[in-house]
Amino acid sequence: MKKLIAGNWKMNGNLAANEALLRDIAAGLPAQPACAVAVCVPAPYMAQFKAMVAAVPVLSGIDLGAQDVSSQQSGAFTGEVSAAMLKEFGCRYAIVGHSERRHYHGETDAVVADKAKAALAAGITPIVCVGETLAEREAGQTGEVVKRQLAAVIHTNGHCISEIVLAYEPVWAIGTGKTATPEEAQAVHAVLRTQLKAATDQVARVKILYGGSMNASNAASLLAQADIDGGLIGGASLKAPDFLKIIAAANA
Ligand code: PEP
């Protein structure tokens, strides 16, 4: 399966910094990357991304993603951005259920499942994040937690589950510099793959990304695991040389 390397810029950047970052990525991007590449930018910068693709054609090899999407279609939902709006700006992906949204915004498994449904209905691929906290890992609950989070998305989306991208992001590894070992990550990915297999006969279509302090030095060993189909990259996606090295590791 073609791997996917997706950057999550989170709430970082400004017009000048984004332009410099995208130009530096474009300069180092292989002419024909063997993996798919995406950047999930803050919503106000989607127009800038579109304009830059027109100015720097090699950037058309990078897909645009959002970091969140509303579960609602339209109406009195102040501050929300609908999937149809994202689609108008050429978004291919929308992250849903990132642990920062679950933690700071109280997003439940059911809300995350509804967001995935709204994205799919608009033709956007949700990148559905699941992952356990450190306390849950230490209590031996990792499998149970990620299975519960994925089960909600399967329940709400039925056979469309084969259209999602799944991202295993252990909460204790996000932005902390602590990474799951390749073996730890692979074990959870295998659990998720088995759960998907029971839900769809199209499991071969579903990429399962790893996220959590993936960087230029650890990417190759994580991406070499049988069930790791790419990466969701936070901090390292803001540094062009690091992001390019991760892309190179996925191409190897
Ligand atoms: C993320 O935000 O999804 C993430 C994995 O962040 P980081 O790579 O910085 O840990």
Side-chain angles (χ1 to χ4, degrees), residues 8 10 98 100 129 169 173-176 211-214 232-236:
N8 172 15
K10 312 197 189 198
H98 191 282
E100 289 152 15
C129 300
E169 297 213 308
I174 297 177
T176 58
S213 299
M214 190 186 271
L232 182 55
I233 326 289

Side-chain angles (χ1 to χ4, degrees), residues 7-98:
N8 172 15
W9 289 3
K10 312 197 189 198
M11 197 171 71
N12 292 296
N14 55 55
L15 289 171
N18 302 345
E19 173 158 358
L21 175 60
L22 288 170
R23 281 191 188 279
D24 288 350
I25 293 172
L29 205 61
Q32 308 239 283
C35 69
V37 181
V39 287
C40 299
V41 311
Y45 297 126
M46 284 177 187
Q48 181 191 21
F49 181 86
K50 276 192 85 174
M52 282 207 56
V53 170
V56 184
V58 68
L59 286 174
S60 63
I62 300 182
D63 288 312
L64 180 62
Q67 297 174 14
D68 184 30
V69 62
S70 178
S71 60
Q72 306 295 324
Q73 288 190 353
S74 66
F77 300 101
T78 302
E80 295 277 283
V81 176
S82 74
M85 293 170 187
L86 298 177
K87 189 74 183 168
E88 275 204 302
F89 279 86
C91 261
R92 169 143 188 205
Y93 298 102
I95 297 172
V96 301
H98 191 282

Side-chain angles (χ1 to χ4, degrees), residues 102 106-115 145 148-153 156:
R102 292 180 191 260
E107 290 188 7
T108 60
D109 295 341
V111 167
V112 173
D114 286 344
K115 288 186 170 198
V145 169
R148 188 203 72 224
Q149 292 171 331
L150 177 56
V153 183
T156 300

